[in-house]
mmCIF file of all heavy atoms in Angstrom:
data_model
loop_
_atom_site.group_PDB
_atom_site.id
_atom_site.type_symbol
_atom_site.label_atom_id
_atom_site.label_comp_id
_atom_site.label_asym_id
_atom_site.label_seq_id
_atom_site.Cartn_x
_atom_site.Cartn_y
_atom_site.Cartn_z
ATOM 1 N N ALA Q 1 -6.626 56.920 9.596
ATOM 2 C CA ALA Q 1 -7.405 57.532 10.753
ATOM 3 C C ALA Q 1 -7.013 56.887 11.979
ATOM 4 O O ALA Q 1 -6.872 57.450 13.048
ATOM 5 C CB ALA Q 1 -8.850 57.306 10.420
ATOM 6 N N GLY Q 2 -6.587 55.624 11.956
ATOM 7 C CA GLY Q 2 -6.149 54.826 13.076
ATOM 8 C C GLY Q 2 -4.851 55.261 13.554
ATOM 9 O O GLY Q 2 -4.400 54.898 14.766
ATOM 10 N N LEU Q 3 -4.078 55.956 12.875
ATOM 11 C CA LEU Q 3 -2.715 56.526 13.249
ATOM 12 C C LEU Q 3 -2.785 57.815 13.865
ATOM 13 O O LEU Q 3 -1.701 58.491 14.315
ATOM 14 C CB LEU Q 3 -1.821 56.592 11.988
ATOM 15 C CG LEU Q 3 -1.569 55.276 11.219
ATOM 16 C CD1 LEU Q 3 -0.747 55.569 10.065
ATOM 17 C CD2 LEU Q 3 -0.856 54.252 12.127
ATOM 18 N N GLY Q 4 -4.053 58.472 14.090
ATOM 19 C CA GLY Q 4 -4.180 59.687 14.783
ATOM 20 C C GLY Q 4 -3.434 60.881 14.108
ATOM 21 O O GLY Q 4 -2.924 61.717 14.760
ATOM 22 N N GLY Q 5 -3.428 60.861 12.738
ATOM 23 C CA GLY Q 5 -2.742 61.974 12.005
ATOM 24 C C GLY Q 5 -1.409 61.777 11.556
ATOM 25 O O GLY Q 5 -0.814 62.468 10.760
ATOM 26 N N ALA Q 6 -0.802 60.682 11.967
ATOM 27 C CA ALA Q 6 0.559 60.210 11.526
ATOM 28 C C ALA Q 6 0.382 59.646 10.049
ATOM 29 O O ALA Q 6 -0.636 59.340 9.613
ATOM 30 C CB ALA Q 6 1.230 59.273 12.450
ATOM 31 N N GLY Q 7 1.566 59.640 9.446
ATOM 32 C CA GLY Q 7 1.533 59.113 8.108
ATOM 33 C C GLY Q 7 2.248 57.684 7.980
ATOM 34 O O GLY Q 7 2.876 57.260 8.947
ATOM 35 N N LEU Q 8 2.271 57.270 6.756
ATOM 36 C CA LEU Q 8 2.885 55.934 6.397
ATOM 37 C C LEU Q 8 3.643 56.011 5.130
ATOM 38 O O LEU Q 8 3.113 56.726 4.229
ATOM 39 C CB LEU Q 8 1.897 54.813 6.357
ATOM 40 C CG LEU Q 8 1.469 54.129 7.660
ATOM 41 C CD1 LEU Q 8 0.442 53.040 7.350
ATOM 42 C CD2 LEU Q 8 2.606 53.597 8.495
ATOM 43 N N PRO Q 9 4.813 55.377 4.992
ATOM 44 C CA PRO Q 9 5.350 55.134 3.607
ATOM 45 C C PRO Q 9 4.234 54.499 2.693
ATOM 46 O O PRO Q 9 3.493 53.663 3.140
ATOM 47 C CB PRO Q 9 6.674 54.326 3.798
ATOM 48 C CG PRO Q 9 6.936 54.453 5.193
ATOM 49 C CD PRO Q 9 5.615 54.671 5.998
ATOM 50 N N GLN Q 10 4.365 54.755 1.417
ATOM 51 C CA GLN Q 10 3.339 54.233 0.465
ATOM 52 C C GLN Q 10 3.388 52.663 0.515
ATOM 53 O O GLN Q 10 2.248 52.059 0.542
ATOM 54 C CB GLN Q 10 3.687 54.644 -0.935
ATOM 55 C CG GLN Q 10 2.717 54.072 -2.053
ATOM 56 C CD GLN Q 10 2.969 54.565 -3.385
ATOM 57 O OE1 GLN Q 10 2.774 55.716 -3.661
ATOM 58 N NE2 GLN Q 10 3.331 53.726 -4.262
ATOM 59 N N ALA Q 11 4.488 52.048 0.563
ATOM 60 C CA ALA Q 11 4.529 50.583 0.631
ATOM 61 C C ALA Q 11 3.855 50.027 1.765
ATOM 62 O O ALA Q 11 3.157 49.034 1.805
ATOM 63 C CB ALA Q 11 5.968 50.071 0.442
ATOM 64 N N ASP Q 12 4.095 50.663 3.001
ATOM 65 C CA ASP Q 12 3.408 50.288 4.271
ATOM 66 C C ASP Q 12 1.893 50.432 4.145
ATOM 67 O O ASP Q 12 1.141 49.565 4.636
ATOM 68 C CB ASP Q 12 4.013 50.979 5.423
ATOM 69 C CG ASP Q 12 5.486 50.546 5.645
ATOM 70 O OD1 ASP Q 12 5.903 49.573 5.041
ATOM 71 O OD2 ASP Q 12 6.238 51.201 6.331
ATOM 72 N N LEU Q 13 1.537 51.517 3.645
ATOM 73 C CA LEU Q 13 0.118 51.870 3.579
ATOM 74 C C LEU Q 13 -0.588 50.996 2.641
ATOM 75 O O LEU Q 13 -1.713 50.451 2.948
ATOM 76 C CB LEU Q 13 -0.056 53.379 3.100
ATOM 77 C CG LEU Q 13 -1.572 53.895 3.002
ATOM 78 C CD1 LEU Q 13 -2.279 53.645 4.348
ATOM 79 C CD2 LEU Q 13 -1.538 55.313 2.518
ATOM 80 N N CYS Q 14 0.030 50.601 1.516
ATOM 81 C CA CYS Q 14 -0.487 49.649 0.598
ATOM 82 C C CYS Q 14 -0.740 48.309 1.285
ATOM 83 O O CYS Q 14 -1.731 47.527 1.098
ATOM 84 C CB CYS Q 14 0.343 49.524 -0.623
ATOM 85 S SG CYS Q 14 0.315 50.779 -1.754
ATOM 86 N N ARG Q 15 0.304 47.893 2.100
ATOM 87 C CA ARG Q 15 0.179 46.557 2.771
ATOM 88 C C ARG Q 15 -0.943 46.567 3.849
ATOM 89 O O ARG Q 15 -1.640 45.616 3.950
ATOM 90 C CB ARG Q 15 1.576 46.281 3.375
ATOM 91 C CG ARG Q 15 1.579 44.859 3.980
ATOM 92 C CD ARG Q 15 3.037 44.530 4.499
ATOM 93 N NE ARG Q 15 3.336 45.366 5.593
ATOM 94 C CZ ARG Q 15 4.293 46.318 5.608
ATOM 95 N NH1 ARG Q 15 4.909 46.469 4.467
ATOM 96 N NH2 ARG Q 15 4.530 47.142 6.589
ATOM 97 N N GLU Q 16 -0.881 47.653 4.614
ATOM 98 C CA GLU Q 16 -1.811 47.759 5.803
ATOM 99 C C GLU Q 16 -3.330 47.770 5.247
ATOM 100 O O GLU Q 16 -4.228 47.125 5.796
ATOM 101 C CB GLU Q 16 -1.621 48.930 6.631
ATOM 102 C CG GLU Q 16 -0.294 48.844 7.417
ATOM 103 C CD GLU Q 16 -0.213 47.825 8.470
ATOM 104 O OE1 GLU Q 16 -1.290 47.530 8.969
ATOM 105 O OE2 GLU Q 16 0.750 47.234 8.773
ATOM 106 N N ALA Q 17 -3.519 48.407 4.080
ATOM 107 C CA ALA Q 17 -4.845 48.622 3.609
ATOM 108 C C ALA Q 17 -5.257 47.560 2.578
ATOM 109 O O ALA Q 17 -6.437 47.421 2.213
ATOM 110 C CB ALA Q 17 -4.996 49.942 2.846
ATOM 111 N N GLY Q 18 -4.274 46.767 2.134
ATOM 112 C CA GLY Q 18 -4.439 45.712 1.130
ATOM 113 C C GLY Q 18 -4.880 46.213 -0.181
ATOM 114 O O GLY Q 18 -5.825 45.774 -0.843
ATOM 115 N N VAL Q 19 -4.231 47.287 -0.700
ATOM 116 C CA VAL Q 19 -4.562 47.864 -1.900
ATOM 117 C C VAL Q 19 -3.249 47.987 -2.732
ATOM 118 O O VAL Q 19 -2.195 47.808 -2.191
ATOM 119 C CB VAL Q 19 -5.166 49.385 -1.729
ATOM 120 C CG1 VAL Q 19 -6.409 49.177 -0.931
ATOM 121 C CG2 VAL Q 19 -4.094 50.267 -1.078
ATOM 122 N N GLY Q 20 -3.414 48.392 -4.078
ATOM 123 C CA GLY Q 20 -2.301 48.600 -4.996
ATOM 124 C C GLY Q 20 -1.885 50.077 -4.904
ATOM 125 O O GLY Q 20 -2.659 50.995 -4.484
ATOM 126 N N PRO Q 21 -0.652 50.359 -5.512
ATOM 127 C CA PRO Q 21 -0.178 51.775 -5.499
ATOM 128 C C PRO Q 21 -1.108 52.701 -6.282
ATOM 129 O O PRO Q 21 -1.153 53.824 -6.073
ATOM 130 C CB PRO Q 21 1.171 51.653 -6.173
ATOM 131 C CG PRO Q 21 1.556 50.145 -6.046
ATOM 132 C CD PRO Q 21 0.365 49.459 -5.994
ATOM 133 N N ALA Q 22 -1.851 52.137 -7.280
ATOM 134 C CA ALA Q 22 -2.755 53.030 -8.145
ATOM 135 C C ALA Q 22 -3.796 53.682 -7.225
ATOM 136 O O ALA Q 22 -4.230 54.853 -7.494
ATOM 137 C CB ALA Q 22 -3.451 52.226 -9.151
ATOM 138 N N VAL Q 23 -4.223 53.076 -6.232
ATOM 139 C CA VAL Q 23 -5.362 53.584 -5.297
ATOM 140 C C VAL Q 23 -4.734 54.746 -4.595
ATOM 141 O O VAL Q 23 -5.456 55.842 -4.518
ATOM 142 C CB VAL Q 23 -5.870 52.544 -4.349
ATOM 143 C CG1 VAL Q 23 -6.846 53.107 -3.393
ATOM 144 C CG2 VAL Q 23 -6.470 51.332 -5.048
ATOM 145 N N ILE Q 24 -3.514 54.640 -4.121
ATOM 146 C CA ILE Q 24 -2.882 55.749 -3.392
ATOM 147 C C ILE Q 24 -2.601 56.928 -4.264
ATOM 148 O O ILE Q 24 -2.921 58.049 -3.931
ATOM 149 C CB ILE Q 24 -1.528 55.285 -2.710
ATOM 150 C CG1 ILE Q 24 -1.781 53.916 -1.870
ATOM 151 C CG2 ILE Q 24 -0.914 56.338 -1.929
ATOM 152 C CD1 ILE Q 24 -2.645 54.110 -0.741
ATOM 153 N N LYS Q 25 -2.074 56.668 -5.533
ATOM 154 C CA LYS Q 25 -1.728 57.682 -6.430
ATOM 155 C C LYS Q 25 -3.032 58.539 -6.753
ATOM 156 O O LYS Q 25 -3.085 59.742 -6.968
ATOM 157 C CB LYS Q 25 -1.087 57.134 -7.622
ATOM 158 C CG LYS Q 25 0.338 56.654 -7.352
ATOM 159 C CD LYS Q 25 0.943 56.086 -8.583
ATOM 160 C CE LYS Q 25 2.321 55.494 -8.247
ATOM 161 N NZ LYS Q 25 3.013 54.901 -9.413
ATOM 162 N N THR Q 26 -4.018 57.807 -6.946
ATOM 163 C CA THR Q 26 -5.429 58.434 -7.390
ATOM 164 C C THR Q 26 -5.936 59.405 -6.264
ATOM 165 O O THR Q 26 -6.244 60.519 -6.455
ATOM 166 C CB THR Q 26 -6.491 57.463 -7.639
ATOM 167 O OG1 THR Q 26 -6.108 56.589 -8.731
ATOM 168 C CG2 THR Q 26 -7.782 58.169 -8.009
ATOM 169 N N LEU Q 27 -5.758 58.973 -4.980
ATOM 170 C CA LEU Q 27 -6.115 59.740 -3.806
ATOM 171 C C LEU Q 27 -5.231 60.929 -3.674
ATOM 172 O O LEU Q 27 -5.702 62.011 -3.318
ATOM 173 C CB LEU Q 27 -6.148 58.832 -2.645
ATOM 174 C CG LEU Q 27 -7.434 57.818 -2.489
ATOM 175 C CD1 LEU Q 27 -7.121 56.936 -1.354
ATOM 176 C CD2 LEU Q 27 -8.739 58.503 -2.429
ATOM 177 N N VAL Q 28 -3.935 60.794 -3.967
ATOM 178 C CA VAL Q 28 -3.036 61.936 -3.927
ATOM 179 C C VAL Q 28 -3.455 62.959 -4.924
ATOM 180 O O VAL Q 28 -3.443 64.194 -4.650
ATOM 181 C CB VAL Q 28 -1.493 61.542 -4.075
ATOM 182 C CG1 VAL Q 28 -0.570 62.733 -4.274
ATOM 183 C CG2 VAL Q 28 -1.224 60.603 -2.878
ATOM 184 N N ALA Q 29 -3.767 62.528 -6.212
ATOM 185 C CA ALA Q 29 -4.144 63.415 -7.272
ATOM 186 C C ALA Q 29 -5.480 64.151 -6.957
ATOM 187 O O ALA Q 29 -5.597 65.308 -7.384
ATOM 188 C CB ALA Q 29 -4.310 62.566 -8.518
ATOM 189 N N GLN Q 30 -6.271 63.486 -6.133
ATOM 190 C CA GLN Q 30 -7.499 64.214 -5.845
ATOM 191 C C GLN Q 30 -7.454 65.141 -4.623
ATOM 192 O O GLN Q 30 -8.399 65.772 -4.242
ATOM 193 C CB GLN Q 30 -8.605 63.057 -5.537
ATOM 194 C CG GLN Q 30 -9.040 62.322 -6.747
ATOM 195 C CD GLN Q 30 -10.050 61.266 -6.377
ATOM 196 O OE1 GLN Q 30 -10.604 61.168 -5.258
ATOM 197 N NE2 GLN Q 30 -10.507 60.371 -7.233
ATOM 198 N N GLY Q 31 -6.205 65.164 -3.895
ATOM 199 C CA GLY Q 31 -6.026 66.039 -2.777
ATOM 200 C C GLY Q 31 -6.556 65.393 -1.525
ATOM 201 O O GLY Q 31 -6.569 66.004 -0.387
ATOM 202 N N VAL Q 32 -7.016 64.056 -1.559
ATOM 203 C CA VAL Q 32 -7.411 63.408 -0.324
ATOM 204 C C VAL Q 32 -6.264 62.922 0.413
ATOM 205 O O VAL Q 32 -6.299 62.982 1.717
ATOM 206 C CB VAL Q 32 -8.284 62.154 -0.730
ATOM 207 C CG1 VAL Q 32 -8.683 61.331 0.413
ATOM 208 C CG2 VAL Q 32 -9.420 62.525 -1.656
ATOM 209 N N LEU Q 33 -5.216 62.599 -0.179
ATOM 210 C CA LEU Q 33 -3.884 62.279 0.601
ATOM 211 C C LEU Q 33 -2.817 63.226 0.018
ATOM 212 O O LEU Q 33 -2.932 63.813 -1.049
ATOM 213 C CB LEU Q 33 -3.421 60.862 0.218
ATOM 214 C CG LEU Q 33 -4.435 59.696 0.507
ATOM 215 C CD1 LEU Q 33 -3.753 58.476 0.193
ATOM 216 C CD2 LEU Q 33 -4.872 59.698 1.956
ATOM 217 N N ALA Q 34 -1.878 63.495 1.032
ATOM 218 C CA ALA Q 34 -0.741 64.367 0.701
ATOM 219 C C ALA Q 34 0.555 63.598 0.916
ATOM 220 O O ALA Q 34 0.674 62.893 1.946
ATOM 221 C CB ALA Q 34 -0.784 65.644 1.433
ATOM 222 N N GLU Q 35 1.539 63.734 0.060
ATOM 223 C CA GLU Q 35 2.789 63.070 0.280
ATOM 224 C C GLU Q 35 3.870 64.072 0.491
ATOM 225 O O GLU Q 35 3.925 65.171 -0.171
ATOM 226 C CB GLU Q 35 3.091 62.259 -1.020
ATOM 227 C CG GLU Q 35 4.394 61.494 -0.864
ATOM 228 C CD GLU Q 35 4.599 60.549 -2.080
ATOM 229 O OE1 GLU Q 35 4.003 60.807 -3.146
ATOM 230 O OE2 GLU Q 35 5.428 59.613 -2.056
ATOM 231 N N GLY Q 36 4.629 63.874 1.582
ATOM 232 C CA GLY Q 36 5.744 64.780 1.811
ATOM 233 C C GLY Q 36 6.891 64.209 2.596
ATOM 234 O O GLY Q 36 6.893 62.996 3.148
ATOM 235 N N GLU Q 37 7.967 64.898 2.582
ATOM 236 C CA GLU Q 37 9.275 64.312 3.249
ATOM 237 C C GLU Q 37 9.237 64.788 4.673
ATOM 238 O O GLU Q 37 8.923 65.993 4.985
ATOM 239 C CB GLU Q 37 10.501 64.839 2.578
ATOM 240 C CG GLU Q 37 10.753 64.171 1.198
ATOM 241 C CD GLU Q 37 12.242 64.317 0.781
ATOM 242 O OE1 GLU Q 37 12.832 65.357 1.144
ATOM 243 O OE2 GLU Q 37 12.652 63.636 -0.073
ATOM 244 N N VAL Q 38 9.647 63.907 5.531
ATOM 245 C CA VAL Q 38 9.788 64.237 6.895
ATOM 246 C C VAL Q 38 10.978 63.554 7.546
ATOM 247 O O VAL Q 38 11.518 62.607 6.885
ATOM 248 C CB VAL Q 38 8.581 63.775 7.816
ATOM 249 C CG1 VAL Q 38 7.194 64.355 7.322
ATOM 250 C CG2 VAL Q 38 8.403 62.197 7.611
ATOM 251 N N PRO Q 39 11.534 63.967 8.509
ATOM 252 C CA PRO Q 39 12.812 63.319 9.132
ATOM 253 C C PRO Q 39 12.469 61.827 9.375
ATOM 254 O O PRO Q 39 11.388 61.528 9.862
ATOM 255 C CB PRO Q 39 12.991 64.073 10.419
ATOM 256 C CG PRO Q 39 12.397 65.464 10.162
ATOM 257 C CD PRO Q 39 11.169 65.192 9.419
ATOM 258 N N ARG Q 40 13.321 61.043 9.121
ATOM 259 C CA ARG Q 40 13.143 59.550 9.454
ATOM 260 C C ARG Q 40 13.000 59.263 10.766
ATOM 261 O O ARG Q 40 12.167 58.403 11.245
ATOM 262 C CB ARG Q 40 14.332 58.776 8.790
ATOM 263 C CG ARG Q 40 14.236 57.268 8.985
ATOM 264 C CD ARG Q 40 15.371 56.563 8.255
ATOM 265 N NE ARG Q 40 15.202 56.727 6.733
ATOM 266 C CZ ARG Q 40 14.398 56.019 5.972
ATOM 267 N NH1 ARG Q 40 13.660 54.927 6.466
ATOM 268 N NH2 ARG Q 40 14.317 56.239 4.674
ATOM 269 N N ASP Q 41 13.742 59.966 11.701
ATOM 270 C CA ASP Q 41 13.676 59.696 13.084
ATOM 271 C C ASP Q 41 12.672 60.681 13.787
ATOM 272 O O ASP Q 41 13.039 61.750 14.250
ATOM 273 C CB ASP Q 41 15.144 59.877 13.751
ATOM 274 C CG ASP Q 41 15.969 58.876 13.197
ATOM 275 O OD1 ASP Q 41 15.625 57.755 12.823
ATOM 276 O OD2 ASP Q 41 17.212 59.219 13.105
ATOM 277 N N LEU Q 42 11.410 60.325 13.710
ATOM 278 C CA LEU Q 42 10.406 61.138 14.271
ATOM 279 C C LEU Q 42 10.109 60.810 15.780
ATOM 280 O O LEU Q 42 10.374 59.706 16.203
ATOM 281 C CB LEU Q 42 8.969 60.848 13.523
ATOM 282 C CG LEU Q 42 8.993 61.415 11.976
ATOM 283 C CD1 LEU Q 42 7.690 61.036 11.334
ATOM 284 C CD2 LEU Q 42 9.145 62.909 12.089
ATOM 285 N N PRO Q 43 9.600 61.861 16.504
ATOM 286 C CA PRO Q 43 9.191 61.409 17.935
ATOM 287 C C PRO Q 43 8.130 60.385 17.882
ATOM 288 O O PRO Q 43 7.327 60.208 16.992
ATOM 289 C CB PRO Q 43 8.537 62.873 18.421
ATOM 290 C CG PRO Q 43 9.156 63.839 17.540
ATOM 291 C CD PRO Q 43 9.458 63.268 16.221
#
């Protein structure tokens, strides 16, 4: 929410939130989070 709609790589999100990958995978499976490919060089 603090990113204003931007996303983070999983490793960075785990580090910033202080959680393990399992938490992220569960939220993706529930549709709370979505994972997708974007250009590396974003505006």
Side-chain angles (χ1 to χ4, degrees):
L3 298 176
L8 280 176
Q10 179 175 297
D12 293 349
L13 182 55
C14 289
R15 184 178 64 253
E16 294 290 330
V19 302
V23 176
I24 307 297
K25 292 178 180 178
T26 299
L27 291 174
V28 170
Q30 294 178 3
V32 178
L33 304 179
E35 186 175 15
E37 285 197 341
V38 298
R40 181 173 294 276
D41 299 327
L42 289 174

